[in-house]
Amino acid sequence: MQYEDLYRRSVEMPEAFWAEQAAAIDWRRAPDAILDQSAPPFRRWFCGGLTNLCYNAIDRHLVDRGDQLALVAVSTETGVTRELSYRQLHREVQTFAAVLHELGVRRGERVVIYMPNMAEAAIAMLACARIGAIHSVVFGGFASHNLALRIDDAKPALLICADAGMRGGKVIAYKPLVDAACEEAVHPPRHVLVVSRGLDRELVMQAGRDVDYAGAAARHANSEVPVAWLESNEPSYVLYTSGTTGKPKGVQRDVGGHAVALALSMRMVFDVGPGQVMFSTSDVGWAVGHSYNVYGPLLVGATSLLYEGLPIRPDPGIWWQLCERYRVRTMFSSPTAIRVLKKQDETWLGKYDLSAFKWLFLAGEPLDEPTAHWITDGLKRPVIDNYWQTETGWPVLTLLPGLDMKPVKLGSPGLPNLGYKLRLVNEVTGADCAANEKGVLTIQPPLPPGCLSTVWGDDQRYVQSYFSHFKELLYSSLDWAIRDEDGYYYILGRTDDVINVAGHRLGTREIEEVVAGCGEVAEVAVIGVADEIKGQVPIVFATLKAASCDAGERQRAASAMQARVVEQLGPIAQPARTYIVDALPKTRSGKLLRRSLSALAQKADPGDLSTLDDPSALEAVRKALARGPDLRHG
Ligand code: ATP
Ligand code: MG
């Protein structure tokens, strides 16, 4: 079937469409009703249906593919690779689930998982799903304060951690961070379960609270743990958003809708089916990690490749080498990661046999054209930019090679995904935008299966954050977009990234796109700061590809950027000040922290820095601000 026909059916006859899609997973009891919309903006999918994520991800494949690889976890940090067949994964998950039972974890209780991207993290998630406990994975790179905030929001019965993670060869002990977080939290867990890889030589266990996983697992080497059959709308997990724009929100996902949406996306979007291999370079701590490192591939009987380490260690060919070794069909990564590779010798791209490789999907932030060109040319494969949010759990905008591959348009994350009734509306009036007219990207309820059910513990915040922006009940993505005549969308930045220069509204993202087109620029962030005359003016912060440069070189680069902006966007967009910096502040998920930059530039407190990746980036910005702009205008 063609994309157009199926898409139309998915949004015009959602109940019929999703009833068909529900057949992709096994139900203990079939749903009584496909959709309940009696209390909008809340909605419930597959009401009354009983199912289980772990059963669908593992048990049901045992007959046909028990010996096929389910999970391959490669760590270039520890040097260990674990290859688990479906049968072995089934065994390990049951053992883990038995340990959860022994520790008194019950259905509906929360379990915080604070681990690096290792097999046991996925096993712990699946074990929770098996017994109906609600997991909440906290990215292992977060510091103890972040962890404490999330613990207090989720109020877990148990916290599962690794003894340590590693980054670039350096051991980072997790347990002391967990101890500090439990100390700080008002609702610490009853127990801490420690999965030790022997990395932290000084591991200290707290008697009565802490439990060593290996010891507990030995008691349950052969335990069988039946799956808990859950009503489709019971929560499966809570995951906090990245916190780019403020306090993270606890995204709550259901069971049945989540499974059905992921199964659909695996086939129609990612083009991965039984026996095929998907490599998502994300971390289990992010939404992509939940959907496409763990649940998605397993739900369809595929093999998931999990990677712990840097993309350039031991060398910049490591990912392509893994693609060759495991015959990866579809890879999922982020523009940030590709930009890291782009700084390396490009011959690494051609060194390995990628004959099984079909698609590279990139998501999480805007894919700039130079990066898109570089990787498309290097791989000689289509690179598919796709747009989604932690909230949605699967792509909102994408191309669907598993269904009907449409042409890639550079700069566009593609077309509306199945089930998403998108509306581009005027920010003020809420009226629908015409082609090429800029508006706010919204989803008309009901949100399709797989999208969040609510904000954990805070229905009010769910309504307030997402559905209170327009007169009509619409889910606001809080992102700007335009749609061209062919129906392709372009994301223009976040609604809070717009600046008003002398009455003209400019998207900082548009200016960034133009600056990024300068050959010497590595990365760029544009913010608006207050100006007495114009209201606001754009300020550019950019890093250069050259490792070091003197004042003259900085000034030359800044002039080139300025000229390009004026040429492409007009004099109104002319940056008032341009700073060449050594680094830009980013979240742990690789997104620019514009709000911190903006605060620094206006001599204000940089605000909540709990999601900041590298504190030295703030210093780099402070240094440049103290030195003064490399180019000033007006
Ligand atoms: P918070 O909501 O806590 O401020 P966040 O929005 O950064 O954090 P995520 O859910 O990880 O948290 O990110 C989703 C956002 O990332 C989108 O709303 C969009 O702004 C951006 N994004 C994701 N994919 C793309 C893409 N392909 N192109 C452009 N922007 C993208
Ligand atoms: Mg967001």
Side-chain angles (χ1 to χ4, degrees):
M1 195 186 257
Q2 285 214 315
Y3 162 76
E4 288 81 0
D5 297 332
L6 199 58
Y7 175 72
R8 198 170 318 113
R9 183 170 163 75
S10 76
V11 293
E12 286 175 6
M13 305 178 70
E15 293 189 52
F17 175 81
W18 287 110
E20 287 155 20
Q21 297 307 320
I25 68 161
D26 286 3
W27 298 86
R28 177 69 170 195
R29 192 177 79 206
D32 317 313
I34 299 302
L35 173 64
D36 167 12
Q37 295 194 76
S38 55
F42 299 93
R43 84 318 178 204
R44 293 156 42 85
W45 287 102
F46 310 118
C47 307
L50 293 184
T51 187
N52 180 285
L53 272 171
C54 180
Y55 177 84
N56 274 285
I58 304 176
D59 300 52
R60 68 167 175 155
H61 303 307
L62 292 174
V63 178
D64 290 336
R65 48 192 75 255
D67 296 321
Q68 179 200 304
L69 285 182
L71 187 68
V72 177
V74 176
S75 174
T76 51
E77 296 289 354
T78 62
V80 175
T81 293
R82 295 200 63 200
E83 296 184 341
L84 296 170
S85 67
Y86 272 95
R87 205 179 315 287
Q88 289 164 326
L89 184 61
H90 185 237
R91 177 64 265 138
E92 294 222 10
V93 167
Q94 290 192 88
T95 297
F96 212 113
V99 172
L100 297 181
H101 271 161
E102 185 183 290
L103 292 173
V105 177
R106 292 188 307 270
R107 174 173 177 164
E109 284 191 311
R110 274 77 56 215
V111 173
V112 166
I113 298 175
Y114 181 64
M115 296 171 100
N117 218 24
M118 58 198 266
E120 287 76 5
I123 291 168
M125 291 163 76
L126 290 158
C128 287
R130 189 169 192 87
I131 67 168
I134 303 169
H135 60 68
S136 185
V137 183
V138 176
F139 175 59
F142 279 139
S144 65
H145 176 63
N146 303 298
L147 182 56
L149 291 178
R150 288 160 177 77
I151 288 174
D152 278 338
D153 198 70
K155 302 186 181 61
L158 176 71
L159 186 149
I160 305 169
C161 68
D163 63 331
M166 285 181 73
R167 193 165 146 114
K170 218 177 99 208
V171 172
I172 301 152
Y174 279 20
K175 185 59 175 29
L177 301 174
V178 168
D179 292 341
C182 289
E183 187 78 14
E184 180 183 336
V186 182
H187 302 282
R190 295 192 298 265
H191 290 290
V192 173
L193 181 61
V194 184
V195 179
S196 174
R197 293 187 287 180
L199 295 174
D200 179 6
R201 301 267 160 81
E202 280 137 46
L203 185 67
V204 181
M205 301 287 275
Q206 187 175 309
R209 187 195 69 182
D210 298 350
V211 178
D212 169 48
Y213 178 70
R219 289 193 289 280
H220 295 287
N222 297 307
S223 295
E224 286 184 7
V225 177
V227 299
W229 297 107
L230 305 178
E231 198 276 335
S232 181
N233 292 280
E234 285 184 54
S236 61
Y237 75 72
V238 176
L239 175 67
Y240 293 86
T241 60
S242 303
T244 307
T245 53
K247 183 174 170 251
K249 296 166 280 268
V251 165
Q252 177 180 322
R253 203 97 59 209
D254 66 4
V255 179
H258 177 208
V260 172
L262 290 183
L264 167 77
S265 67
M266 286 302 298
R267 287 175 293 126
M268 303 222 187
V269 178
F270 298 104
D271 190 28
V272 174
Q276 295 176 331
V277 184
M278 176 144 181
F279 175 19
S280 164
T281 68
S282 184
D283 186 281
V284 289
W286 309 125
V288 179
H290 282 60
S291 296
Y292 301 111
N293 292 20
V294 182
Y295 290 115
L298 298 179
L299 282 169
V300 298
T303 301
S304 176
L305 179 56
L306 204 67
Y307 179 77
E308 179 189 30
L310 301 177
I312 51 170
R313 241 175 135 262
D315 61 56
I318 179 66
W319 283 358
W320 316 118
Q321 187 188 336
L322 290 172
C323 286
E324 174 185 288
R325 187 184 318 154
Y326 291 101
R327 299 197 58 75
V328 169
R329 177 179 176 86
T330 294
M331 182 163 159
F332 193 138
S333 193
S334 66
T336 301
I338 302 303
R339 281 193 291 267
V340 168
L341 294 177
K342 186 166 159 244
K343 288 186 182 164
Q344 315 293 322
D345 184 352
E346 67 184 12
T347 56
W348 286 108
L349 278 173
K351 271 193 130 142
Y352 295 96
D353 169 16
L354 299 182
S355 53
F357 193 102
K358 291 205 66 169
W359 317 104
L360 173 65
F361 285 79
L362 299 175
E365 39 172 335
L367 174 61
D368 56 285
E369 290 198 16
T371 303
H373 274 301
W374 180 80
I375 189 70
T376 308
D377 295 348
L379 284 175
K380 300 181 186 64
R381 302 279 194 290
V383 172
I384 304 176
D385 180 5
N386 62 119
Y387 161 92
W388 44 304
Q389 306 181 306
T390 306
E391 289 86 343
T392 68
W394 60 298
V396 177
L397 294 170
T398 187
L399 297 181
L400 295 90
L403 172 65
D404 172 11
M405 182 64 184
K406 300 287 185 198
V408 170
K409 286 198 187 191
L410 281 188
S412 165
L415 302 162
N417 201 355
L418 301 171
Y420 286 95
K421 190 163 191 176
L422 300 185
R423 298 256 308 269
L424 208 50
V425 300
N426 181 284
E427 175 200 20
V428 181
T429 64
D432 288 293
C433 295
N436 297 314
E437 196 184 317
K438 177 173 168 177
V440 179
L441 182 65
T442 70
I443 307 170
Q444 181 167 318
L447 294 182
C451 292
L452 80 172
S453 326
T454 185
V455 171
W456 173 252
D458 199 345
D459 287 349
Q460 196 49 44
R461 194 164 178 218
Y462 172 72
V463 178
Q464 193 60 37
S465 304
Y466 303 110
F467 292 94
S468 64
H469 302 270
F470 302 99
K471 260 201 280 359
E472 227 181 310
L473 198 61
L474 293 172
Y475 169 93
S476 175
S477 68
L478 303 171
D479 285 312
W480 294 109
I482 56 166
R483 186 184 51 230
D484 70 12
E485 302 79 11
D486 301 328
Y488 281 65
Y489 283 75
Y490 296 77
I491 299 293
L492 304 176
R494 300 173 188 243
T495 52
D496 57 359
D497 286 344
V498 164
I499 59 174
N500 197 324
V501 183
H504 298 265
R505 297 172 61 72
L506 295 173
T508 49
R509 168 90 201 94
E510 293 161 77
I511 306 176
E512 284 169 6
E513 185 78 38
V514 172
V515 174
C518 282
E520 59 264 65
V521 173
E523 282 190 292
V524 52
V526 175
I527 55 158
V529 300
D531 180 87
E532 263 177 38
I533 297 164
K534 296 183 179 165
Q536 273 183 309
V537 287
I539 309 283
V540 173
F541 292 89
T543 59
L544 299 184
K545 285 179 191 152
S548 68
C549 47
D550 60 28
E553 284 160 333
R554 288 200 304 265
Q555 203 198 344
R556 255 196 311 285
S559 305
M561 294 176 208
Q562 177 129 321
R564 204 177 152 89
V565 171
V566 173
E567 178 197 309
Q568 298 197 11
L569 300 175
I572 196 73
Q574 174 125 314
R577 295 189 281 287
T578 302
Y579 296 89
I580 307 297
V581 293
D582 291 336
L584 288 168
K586 291 192 187 162
T587 62
R588 290 309 305 250
S589 48
K591 295 171 197 243
L592 283 170
L593 266 172
R594 288 193 193 71
R595 63 181 163 82
S596 301
L597 261 183
S598 163
L600 286 179
Q602 304 188 73
K603 300 193 179 60
D605 176 3
D608 176 16
L609 291 177
S610 58
T611 55
L612 178 71
D613 182 24
D614 178 6
S616 72
L618 282 189
E619 277 323 302
V621 172
R622 285 200 181 97
K623 198 176 98 192
L625 286 167
R627 192 174 63 206
D630 294 298
L631 192 66
R632 186 189 287 277
H633 164 79

